[in-house]
Amino acid sequence: MDHLLHLDRTLDELDPPRWPPADADATRLIRKVHGLRHVPLGQLGPADLRVLVSQQVALPYVLPLAVRLLLNEPLLEAYFYEGDLLLAAVNAPASAWALLPDLGAQLRSSIVTLPEAAVADLPRGAAEELARFVAQHDSHRP
């Protein structure tokens, strides 16, 4: 299923059940995630995708959007630092990537072409996270 065909629909429409409004005393992050479920997919920006991926919300719909951005700019700074969206994506559960094997392969190919110096500039532990993602997916190849 091509999840990018639904760019005019929201996560609440595509990923039932619809979420109720966030509680009045909910954290800013919880209110943000609840609000993003009402935004059409095509209007989600890199920072929005980083939040949703990091919080593991509707990954079959948000990972394809994130990968689309990452294939053009792997070290895209979504909000906090260069490569933050990439690190959120590679830390998504293996079960989510199992549903999107072609996208995982494309992202893996993009990661292995990153210059060593660029990876070294990422936060501590990032190189290991990227290597783990590449190795995890390599072990599933026929």
Side-chain angles (χ1 to χ4, degrees):
M1 177 178 191
D2 186 354
H3 299 288
L4 296 179
L5 295 176
H6 305 292
L7 295 177
D8 60 332
R9 299 183 64 200
T10 69
L11 291 174
D12 260 359
E13 294 172 312
L14 295 167
D15 183 47
R18 289 179 184 268
W19 289 13
D23 292 336
D25 62 346
T27 65
R28 181 173 172 226
L29 176 61
I30 297 297
R31 289 191 309 272
K32 174 79 171 169
V33 171
H34 277 252
L36 290 174
R37 288 191 51 95
H38 300 286
V39 176
L41 294 183
Q43 294 178 21
L44 294 172
D48 301 328
L49 294 171
R50 188 202 55 78
V51 167
L52 292 166
V53 171
S54 295
Q55 296 302 308
Q56 300 182 14
V57 175
L59 292 176
Y61 296 98
V62 297
L63 275 175
L65 296 170
V67 171
R68 180 173 67 170
L69 294 175
L70 293 169
L71 292 177
N72 289 324
E73 190 178 344
L75 298 176
L76 172 72
E77 180 179 334
Y79 188 75
F80 289 117
Y81 53 85
E82 185 177 52
D84 59 354
L85 181 59
L86 177 61
L87 292 173
V90 302
N91 284 304
S95 58
W97 286 109
L99 299 173
L100 305 162
D102 292 342
L103 287 177
Q106 290 174 33
L107 187 57
R108 184 180 65 249
S109 294
S110 180
I111 290 169
V112 298
T113 64
L114 289 173
E116 212 172 293
V119 173
D121 286 341
L122 295 175
R124 179 180 295 155
E128 292 81 7
E129 291 175 35
L130 295 175
R132 184 175 52 245
F133 178 79
V134 169
Q136 176 183 7
H137 290 280
D138 278 343
S139 69
H140 291 102
R141 295 182 78 174

